[in-house]
Amino acid sequence: MAPRGAAARSTDRFERKREAILDAATRILNRKGVKGLTLSDAAAAVDLSTTSVTYYFKRKDDLAAACIIRGVEALHDMAEQALAPATPSDRLHRLLTLYFERMRQTVAEDAAPLPVISDMRALSSPRREEASTAYGKLFRKVRQIFDTPDLAWMSRGRRTARTRMLLEQLFWAQTWLPKYDPEDYSRVRDRMHDILVHGVAAPGDTWTPQPIPMEELAAREGPELARETFLLAATRLINKRGYRGASVDKISAELNVTKGSFYHHNEAKDDLVVACFERTFEVMRRAQRLAMELPGNQWERLCACAAALAEFQLSEHGPLLRTSALTALPEQMRRQMVEHANRVSDRFASMISDGIAEGSIRPVDPVIAAQMLNATLNACADLGALVPDVRPKAAPAVFAKPMMMGVFLH
């Protein structure tokens, strides 16, 4: 029988090696998504054979799920610590502080990277359900930020919607935060906290968005309309089931067309994802253009644009493609789509900057505010699942207004 000390050392070695595999696999997962992760790549990253890695993780999905669940649990620990302060604002600031410190440690290689959580939809059963259970626990913990007597007026549905928006800010920040030096992360944190608590509204501003007809955002007629129908069906399946779950067979069945017809319009599935993203960005650009043509000041135009896109997400013309699909694309394609997303954000930044100059929007960091608005509108695609009884016309007030006016305001 082995001495107890030897058994403990063996367990320690096992855990260290397992953590090293998870660290390496998470970096691959963040670059290539669940679709691109392989056991052999993870093994090579830690100088092991693939057979040795299977001693820890039998299948690729076991490894991917372990990466995602470990990341979700790390975020849960942050949320647990963030609930110590008494006020919602201080709790939110604590959560952002812990998150950005983890981002700084990751850049300095003092901590393992956090995984792209949204890619859990690409897992297969039962790993997807296990990851979803862990995420649900995280979600409920973050929602406790709103649990104070002062916010008793806020319905469960509104707390749920605002929690989803807060989490999306963290997830999307992983995409744009690398533009900043780690020494500036504390400044970014403070700007984000300021925007989340106070919105971008100047004193005296009200949430009374001018309407933009949904038909103005959707494709018109003819070949454009036929392609829109095809891309919308694909978008809905990809958002619901992930890249792997939205197979060519399922997309074709949804539209009652043959696989041959699918490949007539799309050379490969990656091309279809790109086309869905391009449709998404075009709808957002169209909303921005229509809003900028409206009478009034920049605050009123920005509200109109945000409200129209939030409503579009839940309308018969929606949703837009979730950014979670980015991880399914090859790296070069993904960079191109992120550049498209950044151009949409840059236009929001221009609208915000012009509003600050004219006094209709309060002084905020327009670049950070624009990325946060982009993230909010993207996450609105989930609102129907989170708050099933919400109607498209109510979506702007439930989801976009908190970003514009402040998450703790009525």
Side-chain angles (χ1 to χ4, degrees):
M1 183 175 180
R4 295 183 64 179
R9 287 194 295 273
S10 176
T11 300
D12 289 344
R13 284 195 299 272
F14 178 91
E15 288 301 322
R16 285 197 301 272
K17 185 60 69 176
R18 184 179 186 277
E19 289 298 303
I21 294 170
L22 287 173
D23 290 352
T26 299
R27 294 186 180 92
I28 298 169
L29 191 70
N30 288 351
R31 291 200 319 272
K32 299 182 177 181
V34 170
K35 171 176 171 274
L37 175 67
T38 65
L39 291 177
S40 59
D41 283 348
V46 291
D47 295 324
L48 288 176
S49 67
T50 303
T51 302
S52 296
V53 170
T54 60
Y55 178 67
Y56 298 86
F57 304 99
K58 296 290 186 185
R59 299 166 55 249
K60 180 182 80 169
D61 264 27
D62 298 334
L63 176 56
C67 291
I68 291 172
I69 291 172
R70 185 179 69 158
V72 169
E73 290 174 346
L75 289 168
H76 184 275
D77 290 343
M78 295 179 203
E80 182 79 61
Q81 296 177 56
L83 295 177
T87 69
S89 177
D90 288 344
R91 292 172 184 173
L92 179 56
H93 192 274
R94 180 65 175 154
L95 178 61
L96 292 173
T97 297
L98 293 168
Y99 182 80
F100 279 97
E101 174 58 19
R102 178 61 179 266
M103 293 296 99
R104 187 198 64 76
Q105 291 174 352
T106 299
V107 174
E109 298 186 350
D110 292 331
L114 291 173
V116 177
I117 303 297
S118 57
D119 211 29
M120 67 181 174
R121 298 181 188 188
L123 296 170
S124 58
S125 294
R127 299 296 174 242
R128 181 174 60 250
E129 289 75 18
E130 292 171 1
S132 295
T133 298
Y135 177 79
K137 184 180 178 183
L138 163 65
F139 192 97
R140 290 188 293 275
K141 183 62 65 174
V142 174
R143 191 167 57 193
Q144 291 180 36
I145 287 175
F146 298 95
D147 288 351
T148 64
D150 290 345
L151 298 179
W153 57 266
M154 195 182 294
S155 68
R156 181 181 178 85
R158 289 181 181 271
R159 290 199 307 273
T160 294
R162 294 174 197 219
T163 300
R164 178 68 189 90
M165 191 264 275
L166 292 181
L167 283 169
E168 186 67 15
Q169 300 305 330
L170 302 185
F171 300 154
W172 183 243
Q174 288 182 264
T175 301
W176 58 264
L177 195 57
K179 297 194 300 183
Y180 295 87
D181 288 327
E183 63 193 66
D184 293 325
Y185 285 3
S186 60
R187 175 191 174 277
V188 174
R189 173 205 63 201
D190 290 343
R191 297 300 180 270
M192 284 186 69
H193 180 260
D194 174 60
I195 292 166
L196 287 169
V197 173
H198 302 292
V200 299
D205 284 340
T206 58
W207 173 259
T208 52
Q210 301 176 63
I212 295 177
M214 292 298 97
E215 294 73 18
E216 292 292 312
L217 298 183
R220 307 297 195 277
E221 57 188 13
E224 184 184 359
L225 181 58
R227 182 163 176 76
E228 169 80 3
T229 302
F230 190 91
L231 294 178
L232 178 55
T235 295
R236 287 173 175 167
L237 277 172
I238 294 169
N239 281 359
K240 182 179 180 180
R241 302 182 183 178
Y243 179 92
R244 289 171 63 182
S247 66
V248 174
D249 285 333
K250 289 174 182 174
I251 295 170
S252 301
E254 184 84 6
L255 292 170
N256 196 28
V257 299
T258 64
K259 290 175 66 173
S261 177
F262 173 94
Y263 286 112
H264 174 73
H265 294 285
N266 303 273
E267 291 185 12
K269 196 169 160 186
D270 287 344
D271 297 320
L272 176 63
V273 176
V274 168
C276 289
F277 269 121
E278 289 175 342
R279 167 189 175 264
T280 290
F281 298 138
E282 176 52 33
V283 169
M284 297 185 77
R285 285 192 294 265
R286 194 175 294 156
Q288 290 170 330
R289 289 194 298 268
L290 290 168
M292 289 192 293
E293 293 171 0
L294 292 172
N297 58 38
Q298 288 299 103
W299 162 255
E300 293 166 332
R301 292 170 184 148
L302 190 66
C303 286
C305 184
L309 288 171
E311 181 181 344
F312 184 91
Q313 290 277 40
L314 269 66
S315 75
E316 62 179 343
H317 306 291
L320 303 173
L321 189 63
R322 295 282 289 111
T323 52
S324 57
L326 282 170
T327 56
L329 292 173
E331 290 184 67
Q332 180 59 36
M333 283 184 174
R334 191 190 319 165
R335 282 195 294 270
Q336 292 173 357
M337 294 304 102
V338 170
E339 288 173 4
H340 279 295
N342 284 336
R343 284 199 288 273
V344 171
S345 291
D346 288 345
R347 183 175 284 177
F348 279 137
S350 296
M351 296 172 73
I352 293 168
S353 182
D354 290 346
I356 294 170
E358 71 181 14
S360 65
I361 292 176
R362 73 183 188 89
V364 295
D365 187 310
V367 174
I368 294 174
Q371 290 287 2
M372 294 173 67
L373 178 56
N374 210 5
T376 298
L377 296 173
N378 187 270
C380 191
D382 294 336
L383 184 57
L386 292 170
V387 189
D389 59 344
V390 72
R391 296 291 181 263
K393 290 292 184 183
V398 173
F399 214 81
K401 180 184 175 182
M403 168 67 207
M404 302 291 286
M405 304 291 291
V407 295
F408 302 124
L409 295 183
H410 203 293

